Amino acid sequence: MDRTPLAPQPEGLTSHVDAFLRYLRVERRLSPVTITNYRRQLSVVEQILTELKITQWQQLDTAIGRNIVVKSRRMGLQAASMALRLSALRSFCDWMVQQGELPANPIKSIQAPKGKKRLPKNLDVDEVSQLLNIDSGDPLVVRDRTMLEVMYGAGLRLSELVGLDVRHLDLDLGEIWVMGKGSKERKIPVGKTAVSWLKRWLEMRELYEPEDGAVFISTQSGKRISNRNVQKRFEQWGIKQGINSHINPHKLRHSFATHILESSGNLRGVQELLGHANLSTTQIYTHLDFQHLASVYDVAHPRAKREKS
């Protein structure tokens, strides 16, 4: 957190900020927390402008805006906090344009530096086996084991797992149909183990008189299970099974992608299984070198080879 003492700001800067915050509170009815965040960020911007001998907001231009970014970085501001600061300043300048105080927003084109993307740590194969080493006749346990098997076996998103209906299953062919992001449909193969557990759970599911066609339901209400309930149950099973890392749906999806990619090297195939629109998105889910894998594909796949002239 930035704890640099704030120098007194010129009245020409502060009066406009006060009016903007009043607008947010009275007309926009934003929460006190949001207004406090805006006030904190704009106060630091005022401090930086004062150091630059800027006394009026009308002096602000894109070059000075970039200078604010540079000075903020030198003050130790991280990428996420920088984005918040620029967002607050951008909103303020939009308001100043509306008030006729600025001809245009000089911050509009300035983007915050991108932070490093942190890849989620996947489970290794032994950890997955340890997690899935669950066997019980208790319907609740059978349901949970089935969810874990399907999540890891098909690499589903949490929303896709929760949204799965019985009509989406073709257990004879070992396929499930899901509706992914952007209402894009895709069929995914599932292994024999997942199919076996699905059959076992579907028999027990009828005991709870489900209200709709949802595959996974609450054993208390018979209604479709919630995202939060799935997250909670996965976390609890991670603890029960002695897994050292936090277990969540995304980690199982990531582990699925990593294990398939490590064994096959087929980045495009994993892209289709995960339902990614762009190949570059698939690389985020893996620890493997994207350019190397793409090169391997382009050399090895018949449809990727260039025709000889």
Side-chain angles (χ1 to χ4, degrees):
M1 182 181 291
D2 180 19
R3 299 183 182 278
T4 306
L6 297 180
Q9 278 84 50
E11 178 62 27
L13 296 175
T14 303
S15 60
H16 286 97
V17 171
D18 288 343
F20 173 63
L21 295 174
R22 189 162 51 250
Y23 158 77
L24 296 181
R25 184 179 65 254
V26 176
E27 295 190 35
R28 293 284 304 280
R29 298 183 181 275
L30 298 187
S31 71
V33 172
T34 301
I35 293 172
T36 298
N37 287 334
Y38 271 92
R39 177 181 291 108
R40 183 182 297 114
Q41 297 301 330
L42 291 174
S43 293
V44 178
V45 170
E46 287 183 73
Q47 177 193 9
I48 293 172
L49 291 177
T50 300
E51 293 171 357
L52 295 173
K53 311 300 182 185
I54 302 298
T55 59
Q56 298 290 332
W57 287 107
Q58 286 75 12
Q59 296 172 262
L60 183 64
D61 58 21
T62 302
I64 294 172
R66 293 197 177 97
N67 208 337
I68 292 171
V69 172
V70 172
K71 286 184 173 294
S72 296
R73 292 296 297 270
R74 289 175 181 170
M75 294 165 68
L77 204 66
Q78 299 301 310
S81 298
M82 179 67 74
L84 178 62
R85 181 164 298 173
L86 282 175
S87 176
L89 182 56
R90 197 175 293 115
S91 296
F92 170 73
C93 289
D94 280 340
W95 176 81
M96 288 284 282
V97 171
Q98 293 173 7
Q99 301 302 306
E101 298 288 348
L102 289 176
N105 187 340
I107 311 300
K108 190 172 183 178
S109 62
I110 299 177
Q111 300 296 321
K114 293 183 178 180
K116 294 181 180 179
K117 291 182 178 179
R118 295 182 179 179
L119 295 176
K121 185 180 182 302
N122 65 287
L123 300 171
D124 61 37
V125 175
D126 289 339
E127 287 176 314
V128 172
S129 296
Q130 181 179 340
L131 174 64
L132 297 179
N133 186 22
I134 304 167
D135 197 3
S136 170
D138 183 342
L140 182 60
V141 176
V142 172
R143 184 204 66 185
D144 290 352
R145 167 75 188 266
T146 306
M147 290 195 301
L148 289 164
E149 288 285 357
V150 173
M151 178 65 80
Y152 172 69
L156 301 186
R157 299 179 176 93
L158 174 57
S159 60
E160 293 169 348
L161 181 79
V162 170
L164 201 60
D165 287 342
V166 175
R167 61 188 176 89
H168 297 150
L169 307 178
D170 189 334
L171 300 184
D172 292 332
L173 293 179
E175 294 179 343
I176 60 175
W177 171 89
V178 297
M179 180 71 75
K181 286 187 176 180
S183 298
K184 292 183 178 179
E185 304 174 6
R186 71 184 192 279
K187 280 188 176 181
I188 308 171
V190 289
K192 292 181 180 179
T193 304
V195 168
S196 174
W197 281 92
L198 276 166
K199 289 179 178 178
R200 189 174 174 185
W201 161 244
L202 289 175
E203 289 180 3
M204 295 181 174
R205 169 183 171 276
E206 297 305 315
L207 299 173
Y208 300 97
E209 299 179 356
E211 294 185 359
D212 57 24
V215 172
F216 299 112
I217 60 173
S218 166
T219 56
Q220 294 180 340
S221 66
K223 296 179 180 179
R224 188 182 302 272
I225 196 169
S226 68
N227 288 13
R228 181 67 192 115
N229 198 356
V230 174
Q231 292 169 329
K232 183 179 178 181
R233 297 298 297 177
F234 281 19
E235 181 180 359
Q236 289 174 347
W237 277 114
I239 295 171
K240 287 180 181 178
Q241 297 300 95
I243 308 299
N244 291 327
S245 61
H246 177 77
I247 300 299
N248 57 65
H250 182 67
K251 183 168 289 186
L252 287 177
R253 174 173 160 87
H254 173 57
S255 300
F256 160 85
T258 303
H259 296 165
I260 291 290
L261 194 49
E262 285 176 343
S263 61
S264 71
N266 189 337
L267 193 63
R268 263 79 171 184
V270 175
Q271 175 193 4
E272 291 184 11
L273 290 171
L274 292 175
H276 289 159
N278 299 311
L279 193 61
S280 58
T281 307
T282 310
Q283 187 258 343
I284 297 173
Y285 284 77
T286 72
H287 298 294
L288 304 182
D289 182 71
F290 170 71
Q291 291 299 331
H292 169 70
L293 286 168
S295 298
V296 169
Y297 175 89
D298 291 335
V299 169
H301 198 282
R303 301 289 289 180
K305 292 180 180 178
R306 296 180 180 178
E307 294 183 2
K308 293 181 180 180
S309 58

